[in-house]
């Protein structure tokens, strides 16, 4: 077994804890305040990495592109996710809906002329959408959270999809660690502004659970999981990374059941499996390559 063969498995386990970690810490803090503190601490960690590694500093244009993608991915997407969970959307359900991002990205890539879908991939698209609908129908979580909870989940899905596409086509050129630093800098600006706008005066309860959730989110997710992801992408495992991500909703559902007694109906659990099968079929054709028209946007 290669030394790097364990990396995807550690990554997917860590990534799945992001949803349950949010639910653990949010009773003691507003969602945007939690994220602003998390981004500030993450910046300190990456500043230390920059001091040790001393990578090439990005140009202003490269940094600006990282600010855009970081604002959407770490600021907007996480802000919507945390707000949805704060409003009562179950962590497992949020993970499943957000897990549709690679499928939505594939569909947009097809519309942009990136790739032709084969019949089996169209079947996978249909199964993925059907599985998602089955999970939503089999769970009362979105209904209990109200329209605002559903809106935040959908907005988060759109933001992570848009941020991923922007990073793929426009975010190249910067050293991964330096690029991540600028992404988190942008995310701190976004979440900090949202916290000041909507959560001024909301107290932070520094309980043991809150400190654990915050420390885990910073060290295990924002630092270690992101570094593992960068390692996998460096090794060229783009399509495999997407495939591993479809293990996240199931793992999150198990964690949420164990920690918070979140229960999904048999129909919802079946929907998770159906959605995973569907997106696996969509990805079966391999990675989506850049067309000449989109490549030109990198310069």
């Amino acid at each position: 077994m290669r030394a790097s063969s364990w990396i995807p498995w550690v990554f997917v386990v860590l990534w799945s804890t992001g949803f349950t970690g949010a639910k653990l810490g949010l009773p003691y803090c507003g969602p945007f305040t939690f994220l602003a503190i998390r981004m500030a601490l993450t910046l300190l960690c990456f500043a230390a990495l920059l001091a040790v590694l001393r990578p090439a500093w990005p140009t202003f244009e490269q940094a600006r592109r990282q600010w855009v993608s970081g604002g959407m991915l770490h600021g907007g997407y996480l802000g919507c996710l945390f707000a949805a969970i704060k409003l009562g959307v179950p962590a497992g359900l949020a993970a499943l809906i957000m897990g549709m991002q690679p499928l939505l990205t594939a569909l947009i890539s097809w519309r942009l002329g990136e790739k032709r879908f084969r019949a089996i991939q169209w079947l996978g698209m249909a199964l993925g959408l059907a599985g998602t609908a089955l999970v939503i129908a089999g769970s009362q979580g979105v209904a209990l959270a109200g329209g605002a909870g559903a809106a935040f989940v959908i907005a988060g899905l759109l933001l992570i999809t848009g941020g991923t596409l922007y990073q793929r086509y426009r975010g190249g050129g910067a050293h991964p660690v330096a690029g991540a630093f600028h992404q988190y800098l942008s995310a701190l600006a976004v979440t900090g502004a949202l916290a000041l706008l909507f959560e001024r005066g909301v107290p932070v309860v520094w309980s043991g659970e809150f400190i654990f959730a915050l420390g885990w989110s910073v060290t295990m997710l924002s630092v270690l999981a992101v570094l593992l992801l960068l390692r996998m992408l460096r090794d060229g495992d783009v399509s495999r990374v997407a495939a591993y991500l479809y293990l996240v909703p199931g793992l999150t559902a198990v964690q949420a059941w164990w920690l918070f007694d979140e229960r999904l109906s048999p129909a919802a659990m079946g929907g998770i499996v159906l959605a995973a099968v569907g997106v696996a079929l969509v990805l079966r054709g391999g990675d989506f390559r850049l067309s000449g028209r989109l490549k030109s946007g990198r310069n």
Side-chain angles (χ1 to χ4, degrees), residues 27-42:
Y28 308 100
C29 184
F32 305 128
T33 302
F34 184 102
L35 285 171
I37 298 172
R38 171 177 165 178
M39 297 307 161
L41 294 175
T42 301

Side-chain angles (χ1 to χ4, degrees), residues 6-113:
W6 55 270
I7 289 179
W9 299 104
V10 174
F11 166 77
V12 77
V13 170
L14 291 176
W15 205 253
S16 68
T17 65
F19 298 87
T20 51
K23 184 155 187 173
L24 184 65
L26 287 179
Y28 308 100
C29 184
F32 305 128
T33 302
F34 184 102
L35 285 171
I37 298 172
R38 171 177 165 178
M39 297 307 161
L41 294 175
T42 301
L43 271 176
L44 293 177
C45 294
F46 272 90
L49 286 173
L50 288 173
V52 173
L53 299 176
R54 298 183 179 277
W57 196 247
T59 65
F60 176 79
E61 181 60 24
Q62 290 171 339
R64 184 187 65 81
R65 292 174 180 177
Q66 298 304 317
W67 297 337
V68 174
S69 59
M72 286 192 286
L73 291 172
H74 304 300
Y77 155 65
L78 285 178
C80 288
L81 171 64
F82 275 52
I85 292 177
K86 182 73 171 183
L87 288 171
V89 176
L93 179 60
L96 186 278
I97 297 176
M98 296 298 186
M100 290 294 102
Q101 175 265 323
L103 188 150
L104 182 58
T105 302
L107 181 61
I108 294 174
S109 297
W110 168 75
R111 288 293 299 167
L112 293 175

Side-chain angles (χ1 to χ4, degrees), residues 77-186:
Y77 155 65
L78 285 178
C80 288
L81 171 64
F82 275 52
I85 292 177
K86 182 73 171 183
L87 288 171
V89 176
L93 179 60
L96 186 278
I97 297 176
M98 296 298 186
M100 290 294 102
Q101 175 265 323
L103 188 150
L104 182 58
T105 302
L107 181 61
I108 294 174
S109 297
W110 168 75
R111 288 293 299 167
L112 293 175
E114 288 290 281
K115 188 176 179 68
R116 292 179 179 270
F117 274 6
R118 298 183 303 181
I120 194 170
Q121 291 174 304
W122 282 115
L123 173 62
M125 184 75 70
L127 290 177
L129 294 176
T132 304
L134 191 60
V135 171
I136 294 173
S139 172
Q140 297 181 349
V142 171
L144 292 174
F152 274 121
V153 172
I154 294 172
L157 175 60
L158 295 177
L159 281 167
I160 191 176
T161 302
T164 299
L165 288 169
Y166 184 90
Q167 179 65 21
R168 176 184 293 183
Y169 301 134
R170 305 279 295 179
H175 185 278
V177 174
F181 176 86
H182 281 280
Q183 286 189 17
Y184 285 123
L185 185 65
S186 173

